[in-house]
């Protein structure tokens, strides 16, 4: 773990069915984030392509890990000296696609995470279109001397996902999302983000879609559950510094990770 803070930006925007336009918007927001000092730039789930409701066009617009979207992220990372995290609709092996998050820097793709828990809830059936990722595929990577772990949207409701990342050394949990609006959904989103930070004594960095489909409220939360920076319901960028010394102090005074008697056992 480095002694220097890592500056992170959450970029809240509304991707749509225009893949080229999505890449252009990501380029503009990355430039803004880098100009504000960020070296880790986080975008929402489905940043490469999104339609609501989901349909067959997902498969038609899915890309590989060396396709135009991933290539664009690597180019932006090199140009601005940052690591970029964003959601990709990835081509699958059958009729369904993968809901994937990639982290890319100037050297290439640093981590790949495929959403494990699909959003078959609140009247939605994501599994009609998406195949789940494997339960043994926990994605972590290094950024600015900190270990960063990836999970996606609905995974947030399953605390064991975050805990497996912590067991792999994560200091920061990054959560790209498309957290769909609905009764009490803003409350659920903020409560679960805060809980994952407090129970794991880790930073939580979340990037959501804005309204009218998403709840927005992208946030950076410290290991004690304090919101350091955030965006409201519209498009925007929020920047905050993640201080390794804070993680150390919190874990010294609240040694819950050391004191717990349960351990996550793979299925």
């Amino acid at each position: 773990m480095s002694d220097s803070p890592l500056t992170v930006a959450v970029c809240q925007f509304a991707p749509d069915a225009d893949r080229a336009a999505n890449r252009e918007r990501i380029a503009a927001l990355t430039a803004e984030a880098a100009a504000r000092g960020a070296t880790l730039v986080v975008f929402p789930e489905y940043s490469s392509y999104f339609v609501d409701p989901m349909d067959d066009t997902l498969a038609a617009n899915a890309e590989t890990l060396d396709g135009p979207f991933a290539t664009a992220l690597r180019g932006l990372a090199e140009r601005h000296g940052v690591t970029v995290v964003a959601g990709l609709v990835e081509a699958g092996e059958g009729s369904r696609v993968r809901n994937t998050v990639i982290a890319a820097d100037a050297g290439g793709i640093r981590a790949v995470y495929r959403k494990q828990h699909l959003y078959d809830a609140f009247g939605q059936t994501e599994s009609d279109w998406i195949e789940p990722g494997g339960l043994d595929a926990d994605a972590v990577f290094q950024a600015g001397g900190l270990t960063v772990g990836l999970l996606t949207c609905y995974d947030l409701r399953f605390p064991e996902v975050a805990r497996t990342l912590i067991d792999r050394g994560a200091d920061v949990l990054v959560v790209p999302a498309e957290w769909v609006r609905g009764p009490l959904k803003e409350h659920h989103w903020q409560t679960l983000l805060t809980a994952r930070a407090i129970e794991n004594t880790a930073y939580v960095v979340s990037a959501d879609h804005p309204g009218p489909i998403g709840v927005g409220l992208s946030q950076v939360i410290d290991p004690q559950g304090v919101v350091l920076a955030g965006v409201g319901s519209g498009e925007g960028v929020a920047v905050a510094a993640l201080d390794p010394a804070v993680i150390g102090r919190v874990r010294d005074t609240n040694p819950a990770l050391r004191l717990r008697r349960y351990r996550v056992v793979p299925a």
Side-chain angles (χ1 to χ4, degrees):
M1 186 185 297
S2 170
D3 294 330
S4 302
L6 167 67
T7 303
V8 61
V10 289
C11 298
Q12 184 167 290
F13 88 111
D16 59 23
D18 188 332
R19 291 158 57 196
N22 293 338
R23 294 195 297 270
E24 290 174 4
R25 195 71 196 111
I26 288 170
L29 292 169
T30 300
E32 178 182 344
R36 294 172 62 181
T39 55
L40 176 62
V41 184
V42 179
F43 288 91
E45 179 184 23
Y46 291 115
S47 284
S48 70
Y49 182 84
F50 183 70
V51 288
D52 180 58
M54 292 182 177
D55 58 28
D56 291 334
T57 63
L58 282 170
N61 287 276
E63 301 183 22
T64 62
L65 295 178
D66 59 357
F69 186 76
T71 300
L73 293 193
R74 293 196 299 271
L76 289 171
E78 183 174 13
R79 186 177 313 139
H80 297 290
V82 300
T83 300
V84 183
V85 175
L88 164 70
V89 178
E90 183 191 4
E93 295 181 357
S95 60
R96 295 186 296 173
V97 299
R98 299 177 177 126
N99 183 338
T100 301
V101 172
I102 58 175
D105 66 10
I109 294 179
R110 299 292 305 282
V112 177
Y113 176 77
R114 296 178 176 96
K115 189 176 184 181
Q116 295 176 349
H117 296 90
L118 302 183
Y119 187 58
D120 289 0
F122 300 97
Q124 306 275 340
T125 52
E126 189 178 33
S127 65
D128 285 348
W129 311 103
I130 309 293
E131 62 181 65
L135 295 179
D136 58 347
D138 306 314
V140 297
F141 64 97
Q142 300 296 311
L146 292 174
T147 302
V148 181
L150 300 175
L151 63 156
T152 310
C153 199
Y154 194 55
D155 284 330
L156 190 65
R157 291 184 180 271
F158 302 84
E160 57 271 25
V161 180
R163 184 52 59 85
T164 60
L165 295 167
I166 296 298
D167 284 345
R168 292 198 54 194
D171 308 300
V172 182
L173 301 171
V174 167
V175 191
E178 204 299 277
W179 200 267
V180 179
R181 285 178 178 268
L184 296 176
K185 292 294 290 299
E186 291 91 342
H187 173 62
H188 291 185
W189 170 244
Q190 293 175 293
T191 299
L192 291 167
L193 289 171
T194 304
R196 298 296 86 84
I198 293 171
E199 71 194 8
N200 292 298
T201 53
Y203 284 100
V204 171
V205 177
S206 62
D208 191 28
H209 292 214
I213 298 174
V215 302
L217 302 174
S218 299
Q219 298 176 357
V220 181
I221 302 174
D222 83 358
Q224 296 200 88
V226 177
V227 177
L228 302 179
V231 184
S233 60
E235 185 175 288
V237 177
V239 176
L242 312 187
D243 190 346
V246 170
I247 301 172
R249 287 198 300 270
V250 172
R251 290 181 177 177
D252 283 344
T253 57
N254 176 21
L257 295 178
R258 295 200 311 270
L259 296 177
R260 65 191 171 108
R261 299 177 64 189
Y262 289 90
R263 291 292 183 269
V264 175
V265 178

